[in-house]
């Protein structure tokens, strides 16, 4: 790329459109053309700003590390967009990382060169600073209204006019959605959580629309160019682009129509650009006539939701398996530590701390099969049902073809429902899966209760284990550390249990050929999934892996426990053992001491019988 090409290119970027030719040349003269392969970081979170990057070709994602050390995508940038523009004003650390998604050509302007140019031309520095202030203001406005994608840096103020059943409305030129999405934004500012918060749901909608376009093309209902443009738009969404265009609130009236139309409009407008047209020129690619061809919200929406839940469940199971593995590590680590088992919070019989942790691992392991079985119910979909299951406005061969394409696009063993009328109104698969999530959450909550009890104290409680100290526990009591991680898992469980009730009530509220309450079912399930995944990872990484045992404390509690007498019943009999327990309580002495004092057993006999290997598993009984 030569100098003239650089000047021509940046002169068309809105950020620089108020610079004169001399100023453009000053900046262009310092720009370096660099090529990057995919997966390369332009800059990293917490590193000082060193350059401004202008994308000439390719795609870049803006990501941020979560508390669970995962990279969460915040925005997507393409040709003509600027990244790291804060370097124009200072060298403060980046709050995010920028990583190439595809091979990229980037114009780079270093902080050193920026300072030199601004020193030579203070007026240019002032112009850039004022422009940057406007960009920040517009980004904040965009964030507050949720109208544009985070990848759209500049709002020109230009509008396009669209129309629907209720009339006409102005839509910002930069956005890829249309009038029906705009109405949904106005009508349903409910949770503040847009569809884009759940990337798997957005991808699943693109998969459904892609499969539909392929089926309609095969039937001759979409020509090659149109089908290809829709296919490419869906593929881009599946690969992670345009997610921030899915702005409709998760809870909405209309049985999911707003969500379906958000997808239709975004795909249509991206397809229009693929075809060389402008957004909103729907005569060439229409959200309803082309993207929604042979479909209804009533089959596209639940099908996409079910695909997304299958995908999300696989991730949930991976988090669950990691948590199980952490419990197993501790079970092995604590296998030799004798502790007192308890029933009804009273002393019972001895066990090992390892057995307690292995029990937690095993009970959670059972949930893998339950979750998988119930998520498999989602593989049966009603695609091809259209409005109520009769298949009106679809070709007789459409259902067979679209199911085949869905299997190919998703890689899942998707099946068409046997009775589409029944499948369109039935929400029982959601009930079953929600119940499995509730069961898992109840187990996690019980385990969290146990961890809180076993770590209670440290001086006035059980104090058998130590949970990692992750934050000070009190604003008034010095030195206090609370079991905050198990506590938050308890609260997650309460929310999941409540969401399960919401799913049950919403499923019951269905009437005749459709259940219009599906959006709240969907929101409840995805919220439960998100909280459980985050909660299990937090429990694993911030609690379980760092637990230590107070071995001496565990042993002392066993030796001083009245429950120890149960292990001696085979030798002494129930009546004698009862008298020993009663006297030990009255005299406030240990069973061990009392048995020796009364010469009921020799020390060797007692020590042999109270060995861990003799107390922790069945053994041959002696007939009395």
């Amino acid at each position: 790329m030569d100098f003239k090409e650089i000047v021509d290119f940046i002169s068309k970027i809105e950020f620089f459109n108020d610079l004169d030719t001399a100023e453009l040349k000053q900046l262009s003269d310092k720009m370096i053309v660099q090529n990057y392969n995919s997966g390369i970081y332009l800059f990293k979170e917490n590193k000082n700003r060193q350059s401004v990057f202008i994308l000439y070709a390719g795609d870049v994602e803006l990501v941020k590390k979560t508390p669970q050390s995962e990279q969460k995508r915040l925005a997507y940038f393409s040709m003509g967009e600027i990244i790291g523009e804060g370097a124009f004003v200072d060298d403060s650390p980046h709050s995010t990382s920028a990583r190439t998604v595809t091979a990229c050509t980037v114009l780079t302007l270093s902080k050193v060169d920026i300072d030199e140019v601004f020193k030579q031309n203070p007026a240019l520095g002032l112009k850039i600073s004022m422009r940057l202030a406007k960009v920040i203001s517009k980004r904040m406005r965009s964030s507050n209204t949720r109208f544009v994608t985070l990848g759209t840096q500049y709002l020109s103020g230009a509008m396009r006019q669209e129309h629907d059943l209720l009339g006409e409305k102005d839509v910002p030129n930069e956005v890829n959605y249309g009038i029906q999405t705009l109405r949904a934004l106005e009508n349903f500012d409910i949770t503040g959580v847009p569809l884009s918060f759940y990337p798997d749901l957005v991808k699943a909608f693109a998969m459904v629309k892609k499969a539909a376009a392929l089926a309609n093309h095969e039937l001759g209902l979409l020509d090659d160019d149109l089908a290809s443009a829709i296919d490419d738009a869906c593929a881009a969404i599946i690969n992670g682009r345009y997610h921030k265009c899915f702005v409709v609130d998760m809870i909405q009236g209309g049985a999911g129509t707003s969500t379906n139309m958000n997808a239709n409009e975004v795909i249509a407008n991206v397809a229009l650009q693929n075809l060389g047209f402008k957004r909103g020129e729907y005569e060439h690619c229409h959200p309803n006539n082309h993207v929604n061809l042979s479909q209804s919200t009533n089959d596209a929406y639940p099908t996409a939701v079910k695909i997304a839940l299958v995908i999300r469940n696989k991730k949930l199971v991976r988090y669950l398996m990691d948590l199980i593995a952490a419990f197993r590590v501790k079970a092995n680590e604590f296998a030799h530590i004798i502790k007192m088992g308890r029933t009804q919070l009273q002393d019972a019989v001895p066990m090992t701390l390892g057995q307690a942790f292995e029990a937690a691992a095993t009970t959670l392991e059972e949930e893998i099969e339950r979750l998988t079985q119930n998520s498999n119910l989602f593989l049966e979909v009603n695609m091809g049902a259209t409005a109520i299951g009769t298949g009106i406005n679809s070709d007789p061969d459409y259902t067979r073809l679209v199911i085949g394409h869905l299997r190919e696009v998703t890689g899942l063993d998707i099946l068409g429902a046997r009775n589409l009328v029944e499948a369109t109104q039935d929400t029982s698969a959601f009930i079953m899966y929600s119940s499995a999530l509730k069961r898992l959450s109840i187990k996690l909550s019980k385990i969290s209760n146990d961890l809180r009890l076993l770590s209670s104290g440290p001086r006035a409680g059980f104090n058998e284990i130590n949970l990692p100290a992750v934050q000070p526990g009190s604003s008034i009591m010095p030195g206090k550390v609370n079991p905050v991680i198990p506590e938050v898992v308890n609260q997650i469980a309460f929310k999941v249990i409540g969401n399960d009730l919401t799913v049950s009530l919403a499923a019951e509220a269905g009437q005749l050929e459709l259940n219009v309450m599906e959006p709240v079912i969907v929101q409840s399930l995805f919220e439960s999934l998100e909280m459980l995944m985050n909660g299990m990872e937090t429990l694993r990484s911030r609690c379980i892996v760092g637990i230590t045992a107070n071995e001496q404390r565990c042993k002392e509690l066993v030796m001083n426990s009245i429950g120890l007498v149960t292990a001696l019943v085979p030798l002494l009999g129930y009546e004698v053992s009862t008298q020993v327990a009663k006297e030990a309580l009255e005299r406030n002495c240990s069973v061990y001491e009392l048995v020796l004092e009364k010469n009921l057993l020799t020390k060797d006999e007692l020590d042999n019988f109270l060995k861990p290997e003799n107390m922790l598993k069945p053994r041959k009984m002696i007939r009395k």
Side-chain angles (χ1 to χ4, degrees):
M1 185 187 306
D2 60 29
F3 176 75
K4 184 178 183 304
E5 286 178 300
I6 294 176
V7 174
D8 289 343
F9 178 71
I10 68 168
S11 67
K12 297 172 184 175
I13 297 174
E14 190 170 352
F15 188 89
F16 302 110
N17 66 0
D18 57 349
L19 302 185
D20 60 34
T21 303
E23 291 168 332
L24 288 171
K25 287 181 177 179
Q26 269 189 292
L27 290 175
S28 300
D29 186 51
K30 298 292 185 180
M31 289 182 182
I32 299 172
V33 180
Q34 295 179 297
N35 294 309
Y36 296 91
N37 292 325
S38 62
I40 303 299
Y41 284 92
L42 300 183
F43 55 79
K44 289 190 175 182
E45 190 173 343
N46 299 322
K47 300 295 183 182
N48 285 353
R49 301 175 191 274
Q50 295 181 340
S51 301
V52 173
F53 303 91
I54 304 169
L55 271 173
Y56 183 79
D59 301 301
V60 171
E61 60 182 354
L62 205 64
V63 297
K64 188 171 181 63
K65 187 174 289 187
T66 68
Q68 290 76 39
S69 297
E70 293 184 347
Q71 294 282 6
K72 184 176 181 64
R73 175 183 287 170
L74 301 179
Y76 206 102
F77 297 88
S78 299
M79 184 178 72
E81 294 187 303
I82 303 176
I83 309 169
E85 66 276 10
F88 276 126
V89 292
D90 63 36
D91 60 355
S92 60
H94 291 283
S95 60
T96 56
S97 301
R99 181 171 57 196
T100 59
V101 178
T102 63
C104 292
T105 299
V106 179
L107 305 180
T108 303
L109 188 59
S110 73
K111 175 64 177 165
V112 173
D113 288 335
I114 290 170
D115 291 343
E116 183 182 335
V117 169
F118 288 177
K119 186 176 181 179
Q120 294 171 354
N121 188 347
L124 175 57
L126 181 61
K127 279 187 181 181
I128 293 291
S129 297
M130 292 177 64
R131 186 60 180 160
L132 194 58
K134 291 180 181 179
V135 168
I136 293 171
S137 173
K138 288 174 180 178
R139 280 185 175 176
M140 291 178 67
R141 183 173 62 183
S142 128
S143 175
N144 289 336
T145 60
R146 306 199 307 276
F147 274 5
V148 297
T149 78
L150 290 184
T152 302
Q153 300 189 59
Y154 318 109
L155 281 171
S156 65
M159 310 292 278
R160 64 178 189 267
Q161 194 172 76
E162 295 191 15
H163 68 274
D164 63 6
L165 171 69
L166 301 183
E168 296 181 338
K169 208 166 186 62
D170 288 335
V171 179
N173 255 349
E174 287 86 353
V175 302
N176 283 314
Y177 53 75
I179 184 171
Q180 292 205 43
T181 301
L182 200 58
R183 292 196 190 281
L185 284 170
E186 295 170 346
N187 293 331
F188 308 122
D189 190 5
I190 308 300
T191 67
V193 178
L195 301 171
S196 60
F197 189 80
Y198 300 105
D200 289 330
L201 182 57
V202 174
K203 291 179 182 179
F205 264 98
M207 290 174 181
V208 168
K209 299 300 177 179
K210 179 182 176 76
L214 293 172
N216 286 319
H217 177 250
E218 197 170 341
L219 291 167
L221 301 176
L222 291 176
D223 64 37
D224 292 348
D225 290 343
L226 194 49
S228 179
I230 294 174
D231 187 2
D232 289 345
C234 292
I237 294 169
I238 293 168
N239 289 331
R241 292 195 67 183
Y242 307 112
H243 281 212
K244 292 300 178 180
C245 303
F246 288 75
V247 294
V248 173
D249 199 287
M250 285 292 290
I251 295 182
Q252 59 201 247
T257 296
S258 295
T259 296
N260 188 41
M261 285 309 301
N262 192 168
N264 289 334
E265 289 176 344
V266 170
I267 293 168
N269 279 306
V270 173
L272 282 170
Q273 294 168 80
N274 291 340
L275 291 167
F277 299 107
K278 295 179 181 178
R279 298 180 183 93
E281 295 183 341
Y282 295 137
E283 64 271 23
H284 304 291
C285 181
H286 196 280
N288 299 84
N289 296 339
H290 301 124
V291 181
N292 200 60
L293 182 61
S294 305
Q295 304 153 65
S296 163
T297 294
N298 302 344
D299 61 351
Y301 180 80
T303 298
V305 166
K306 289 179 176 181
I307 290 169
L309 287 172
V310 172
I311 295 170
R312 207 71 181 148
N313 181 73
K314 292 180 179 179
K315 296 179 181 178
L316 176 72
V317 168
R318 287 200 294 272
Y319 279 99
L320 178 55
M321 291 174 69
D322 289 343
L323 179 59
I324 292 167
F327 273 107
R328 285 246 154 82
V329 168
K330 290 299 170 181
N332 292 328
E333 182 181 338
F334 301 149
H336 67 288
I337 299 176
I338 298 293
K339 70 177 292 293
M340 203 64 204
R342 300 174 179 88
T343 57
Q344 295 163 281
L345 292 179
Q346 308 299 305
D347 295 357
V349 296
M351 63 185 298
T352 68
L353 188 57
Q355 286 176 318
F357 277 79
E358 178 60 33
T362 300
T363 195
L364 292 175
E365 195 169 43
E366 293 172 353
E367 299 315 294
I368 295 175
E369 185 177 356
R370 298 285 84 76
L371 290 165
T372 302
Q373 283 179 339
N374 286 307
S375 72
N376 284 342
L377 297 173
F378 296 139
L379 295 174
E380 182 182 283
V381 301
N382 72 328
M383 202 63 185
T386 65
I388 63 170
T390 61
I392 189 172
N393 291 355
S394 68
D395 187 279
D397 292 324
Y398 171 75
T399 298
R400 172 180 58 82
L401 292 175
V402 76
I403 293 295
H405 286 296
L406 264 180
R407 291 170 67 92
E408 184 179 345
V409 170
T410 63
L412 302 173
D413 295 328
I414 292 175
L415 300 172
R418 182 167 53 90
N419 185 313
L420 291 176
V421 173
E422 183 274 339
T424 302
Q425 59 190 263
D426 178 49
T427 55
S428 58
F430 298 126
I431 299 171
M432 293 291 288
Y433 186 67
S434 179
S435 178
L437 295 180
K438 178 180 73 172
R439 176 171 146 151
L440 171 61
S441 69
I442 288 172
K443 288 189 175 185
L444 287 168
S445 190
K446 189 271 181 187
I447 290 168
S448 296
N449 293 339
D450 293 347
L451 293 173
R452 290 163 59 204
L453 276 172
L454 293 178
S455 65
S456 62
R459 298 290 176 84
F462 290 180
N463 193 31
E464 293 182 351
I465 62 173
N466 306 302
L467 304 185
V470 296
Q471 67 180 52
S474 174
S475 61
I476 189 173
M477 294 173 279
K480 192 170 189 289
V481 178
N482 295 327
V484 295
I485 302 302
E487 286 172 2
V488 79
V489 174
N490 285 134
Q491 293 172 73
I492 289 168
F494 305 155
K495 283 288 291 180
V496 174
I497 293 166
N499 282 345
D500 178 66
L501 176 59
T502 298
V503 170
S504 298
L505 293 173
E508 185 276 335
Q511 298 166 325
L512 302 177
E513 279 67 57
L514 182 67
N515 189 319
V516 302
M517 307 300 175
E518 279 189 5
V520 77
I521 292 176
V522 174
Q523 187 274 336
S524 297
L525 289 175
F526 277 92
E527 182 182 57
S528 292
L529 278 163
E530 194 74 16
M531 288 191 299
L532 281 170
M533 284 189 285
N534 292 337
M536 287 193 296
E537 175 56 21
T538 299
L539 181 62
R540 183 197 69 80
S541 63
R542 305 288 292 170
C543 183
I544 303 305
V545 298
I547 290 176
T548 57
N550 296 323
E551 185 171 352
Q552 187 58 36
R553 169 67 171 169
C554 290
K555 184 177 180 180
E556 288 171 359
L557 290 174
V558 170
M559 299 311 294
N560 196 44
S561 171
I562 302 303
L564 192 66
V565 76
T566 303
L568 302 178
V569 169
L571 290 177
L572 303 180
Y574 190 84
E575 294 297 334
V576 173
S577 297
T578 300
Q579 289 302 314
V580 169
K582 181 179 179 181
E583 187 173 343
L585 278 171
E586 290 173 349
R587 292 174 53 185
N588 193 28
C589 63
S590 73
V591 168
Y592 186 92
E593 294 170 352
L594 197 57
V595 168
L596 293 179
E597 180 186 313
K598 291 180 173 294
N599 294 317
L600 296 174
L601 293 170
T602 67
K603 188 175 187 305
D604 287 343
E605 288 175 326
L606 186 57
D607 288 342
N608 180 63
F609 211 80
L610 295 183
K611 284 181 180 178
E613 59 268 26
N614 292 335
M615 287 195 294
L616 305 176
K617 59 185 178 182
R619 60 180 296 177
K620 286 292 184 180
M621 300 292 290
I622 302 171
R623 183 172 179 178
K624 301 280 305 168

